[in-house]
Amino acid sequence: MDRSWITTTKLGDPKYKAGVMEFLKFALDNNSEGRDRLPCPCYMYHNLMHHKVDEILNHLSKWEFDITYTHWYRHGEKREETSAHQGDNTDEGGTLEEMMDQLHEIVDNDPQVIEELLTDSELPLYKESKYTKLSAIVKLYNVKVGHNVTDQCFTAFLKVFKDILPPENVLPSRTYKAKNMLCTTDLNYEKIHACPNDCILYRDEFEALKKCPECNVSRYKKKEGVPAKVLWYFPIIQRFKRMYADAGDAEKLTWHKFGQKKNDGLLRHPADSPQWKFIDGKFDDFGKEERNLRLGLSTDGMNPYSSLSSTYSTWPVMLVTYNLPHSLCMKRKYIILSMLISGPKQPGNDIDVYLAPLIDDLKLLWEKGVEVFDGSRNEMFNLRAMLFCTMQDYPAYGNLSGYTVKGECACPICEDGWKGRWVKASGKHIYFDHRPFLPHDHPYRKLKKAFNGE
């Protein structure tokens, strides 16, 4: 297919018009997902905004075709087929292009974002520099995050780099300014007010209230507008969409199906477990789609302050994606912080109040699913997810499950079949019958008098 018209013709030229029609026919023929909106390749939008075909035709009639877009991989052409059309795009440009493509949902809904990103992605860092303002900040910020550089230290680096570069450079001199450039690409969060006595979250039907309907305690501290307690919720669906938008991560998320090389009955990964196979058998419509997610939930209290004498307790709720290989699923990059329950006291058995936003999203992902773009297969699919297991210590197990883990019958397996004894001197229940779980040659097995003789 001759694409010389992209670089050699102008608006109004019959060859240009014929080339545009040829491009649109190609895009529609290769639109295997049947999407009604496609990336617009005019020089104003550079494939970053998605429009209907008639809008794209209108744009290409007003503005010229992007001369750098000579291989149409965003419209269905395979990358290996386009090697003859490859331009002189650098790795940095390609990385930025992929980043912008992953953000198309955010970009489409906010024209101001596209304008800011385009301006920063085209503005040279300084005259004749191979880096743009945006690519330089992305590269530097990746180093900052990868090596745990503090904001204060990063600001010092930026000032030194700005002083070393030519005087007309546009590199930000502070971390704050660099973050403002990148904040348009951030995943959002929800700051939900909570009753200080853990009765309710001020959402849905309680959103407009100023006092708790159950305990009548004020929603705010002494100063109006300052909430007494806050839940930070980081919506999980957006994060799963971002994971699947990256071709590399999307491929890794099917490892449990295609990456397992040994089937010798040994347990190396949750995918080897009877529970995984049981779920595949019972919910075959869920198990047939290897991209559906199996999640592990973990939570516990932590003291965010350095003082160990402080009784402040904050509860993070983490999600682990077990679709990933065992070498990756526990890496920090892939563990999702889904919510943060602020202190000063632990939620206890009222943790279910705080888990409500997460449970709503999990129910949606299990019952209906959401449409997600798979970057590795270049297609849309319906993503579903399930809560595969929970991980916690014993007290937190009681909070999450609702089961009593203290008192006379504290074992969730034995229940009434294994009761403790009340000791008045210590004011506690104690449990004598521990010897059945000891090795056969353990010395305690011979100490019948020290136990109850059984």
Side-chain angles (χ1 to χ4, degrees), residues 9-22:
T9 60
K10 300 293 181 184
L11 288 175
D13 190 319
K15 192 176 179 182
Y16 176 85
K17 292 180 180 178
V20 167
M21 298 309 295
E22 185 181 37

Side-chain angles (χ1 to χ4, degrees), residues 94 184 386:
T184 54
M386 68 168 299

Side-chain angles (χ1 to χ4, degrees), residues 27 39 41 46 51 69 78 92 111 114 118 140 147 161 198 208 225 244 280 283 316 325 369 382 410 421 429:
H46 299 284
H51 296 292
Y69 188 53
K78 294 181 180 179
E92 278 302 314
I114 182 70
L118 279 174
L140 289 170
H147 295 275
F161 292 151
D198 307 323
Y244 269 106
D280 284 348
F283 307 102
N382 187 59
R421 302 177 188 178
H429 278 93

Side-chain angles (χ1 to χ4, degrees), residues 3 6-7 41-43 45-47 64-74 82 85-90 93 97 122:
R3 299 178 188 176
I6 297 174
T7 55
C42 72
Y43 84 89
Y45 293 118
H46 299 284
N47 287 311
E64 292 180 356
F65 199 96
D66 180 3
I67 61 172
T68 65
Y69 188 53
T70 56
H71 51 292
W72 298 339
Y73 64 91
R74 299 199 186 191
T82 63
H85 306 292
Q86 296 279 357
D88 295 327
N89 293 338
T90 63
E97 228 177 42
E122 294 175 355

Side-chain angles (χ1 to χ4, degrees), residues 38 70 107 146 150 175 203 220 258 276 298 344 383 388 420 433 446:
L38 299 171
T70 56
V107 167
T150 64
T175 303
R203 61 193 291 265
Y220 303 104
F258 304 114
W276 192 290
S298 180
L383 172 68
F388 184 74
D433 302 328
K446 299 178 181 180

Side-chain angles (χ1 to χ4, degrees), residues 222-450:
K222 292 181 180 179
K223 185 179 179 181
E224 181 73 18
V226 180
K229 194 169 185 178
V230 173
L231 166 70
W232 301 80
Y233 179 54
F234 307 91
I236 58 173
I237 293 176
Q238 293 181 26
R239 283 152 178 80
F240 293 146
K241 285 184 176 181
R242 182 70 65 88
M243 287 173 72
Y244 269 106
D246 182 89
D249 286 344
E251 190 173 354
K252 291 170 186 170
L253 287 166
T254 60
W255 175 90
H256 67 95
K257 180 77 172 181
F258 304 114
Q260 290 269 51
K261 294 184 178 179
K262 293 185 178 181
N263 189 18
D264 53 8
L266 299 180
L267 184 64
R268 295 180 174 85
H269 185 274
D272 300 320
S273 67
Q275 179 178 339
W276 192 290
K277 296 176 176 65
F278 172 78
I279 290 167
D280 284 348
K282 186 170 184 179
F283 307 102
D284 57 338
D285 57 332
F286 181 87
K288 281 189 291 189
E289 175 55 80
E290 64 274 359
R291 291 173 290 189
N292 287 337
L293 299 174
R294 290 168 169 83
L295 307 171
L297 182 146
S298 180
T299 185
D300 200 0
M302 56 164 283
N303 184 351
Y305 304 107
S306 57
S307 173
L308 295 178
S309 61
S310 172
T311 57
Y312 200 99
S313 180
T314 295
W315 283 61
V317 180
M318 322 293 288
L319 287 177
V320 178
T321 307
Y322 283 130
N323 293 47
L324 293 164
H326 35 58
S327 58
L328 294 179
C329 63
M330 291 297 178
K331 296 291 185 184
R332 184 175 63 177
K333 177 182 177 181
Y334 295 106
I335 294 179
I336 297 175
L337 174 64
S338 61
M339 58 174 50
L340 199 61
I341 305 170
S342 63
K345 64 177 183 178
Q346 62 181 14
N349 289 336
D350 294 321
I351 195 172
D352 60 310
V353 172
Y354 296 94
L355 291 174
L358 176 60
I359 291 172
D360 289 345
D361 278 352
L362 288 173
K363 287 172 70 176
L364 172 63
L365 286 168
W366 170 251
E367 294 170 359
K368 296 181 180 179
V370 294
E371 287 297 306
V372 172
F373 178 73
D374 184 338
S376 66
R377 303 184 188 181
N378 197 30
E379 64 181 18
M380 299 292 292
F381 76 101
N382 187 59
L383 172 68
R384 294 176 62 199
M386 68 168 299
L387 191 61
F388 184 74
C389 65
T390 61
M391 298 161 284
Q392 61 283 310
D393 59 13
Y394 205 57
Y397 169 77
N399 299 144
L400 282 174
S401 66
Y403 194 91
T404 301
V405 293
K406 53 190 176 182
E408 187 178 27
C409 302
C411 178
I413 299 172
C414 302
E415 296 183 336
D416 293 341
W418 189 50
K419 295 184 178 181
R421 302 177 188 178
W422 180 255
V423 179
K424 293 183 179 179
S426 63
K428 294 179 180 179
H429 278 93
I430 60 171
Y431 308 92
F432 274 112
D433 302 328
H434 276 52
R435 289 192 297 163
F437 305 104
L438 295 174
H440 291 289
D441 58 348
H442 199 282
Y444 280 5
R445 285 192 171 275
K446 299 178 181 180
L447 302 179
K448 293 184 177 180
K449 292 182 179 179

Side-chain angles (χ1 to χ4, degrees), residues 6-194:
I6 297 174
T7 55
T8 59
T9 60
K10 300 293 181 184
L11 288 175
D13 190 319
K15 192 176 179 182
Y16 176 85
K17 292 180 180 178
V20 167
M21 298 309 295
E22 185 181 37
F23 162 77
L24 290 175
K25 183 178 183 302
F26 177 87
L28 290 171
D29 289 345
N30 288 275
N31 182 20
S32 57
E33 300 88 19
R35 287 181 286 175
D36 60 340
R37 291 173 178 265
L38 299 171
C40 181
C42 72
Y43 84 89
M44 284 291 291
Y45 293 118
H46 299 284
N47 287 311
L48 298 177
M49 290 194 73
H50 292 57
H51 296 292
K52 294 182 178 179
V53 175
D54 55 344
E55 292 179 89
I56 294 175
L57 180 59
N58 184 36
H59 289 174
L60 293 174
S61 301
K62 292 191 298 182
W63 304 306
E64 292 180 356
F65 199 96
D66 180 3
I67 61 172
T68 65
Y69 188 53
T70 56
H71 51 292
W72 298 339
Y73 64 91
R74 299 199 186 191
H75 295 85
E77 188 172 19
K78 294 181 180 179
R79 290 180 182 265
E80 56 267 24
E81 293 175 0
T82 63
S83 58
H85 306 292
Q86 296 279 357
D88 295 327
N89 293 338
T90 63
D91 290 342
E92 278 302 314
T95 302
L96 280 174
E97 228 177 42
E98 290 170 8
M99 181 188 80
M100 304 280 253
D101 192 42
Q102 291 176 30
L103 301 173
H104 68 84
E105 289 187 14
I106 302 173
V107 167
D108 281 353
N109 296 328
D110 194 343
Q112 187 177 355
V113 171
I114 182 70
E115 186 178 347
E116 292 174 359
L117 289 175
L118 279 174
T119 300
D120 291 336
S121 66
E122 294 175 355
L123 181 64
L125 186 60
Y126 56 87
K127 191 176 180 180
E128 298 182 357
S129 170
K130 72 173 185 177
Y131 292 104
T132 64
K133 183 179 180 182
L134 182 61
S135 67
I137 286 299
V138 168
K139 197 170 184 68
L140 289 170
Y141 206 82
N142 276 334
V143 174
K144 173 193 183 307
V145 174
H147 295 275
N148 295 320
V149 178
T150 64
D151 286 358
Q152 188 176 3
C153 184
F154 190 59
T155 296
F157 281 136
L158 288 176
K159 288 180 178 178
V160 172
F161 292 151
K162 189 171 181 66
D163 189 51
I164 293 172
L165 294 173
E168 72 275 11
N169 76 82
V170 292
L171 185 73
S173 58
R174 294 169 55 206
T175 303
Y176 176 76
K177 292 182 179 178
K179 284 184 175 180
N180 280 350
M181 281 179 57
L182 299 176
C183 69
T184 54
T185 67
D186 280 352
L187 294 165
N188 63 358
Y189 62 88
E190 297 176 20
K191 190 177 177 182
I192 306 172
H193 296 181

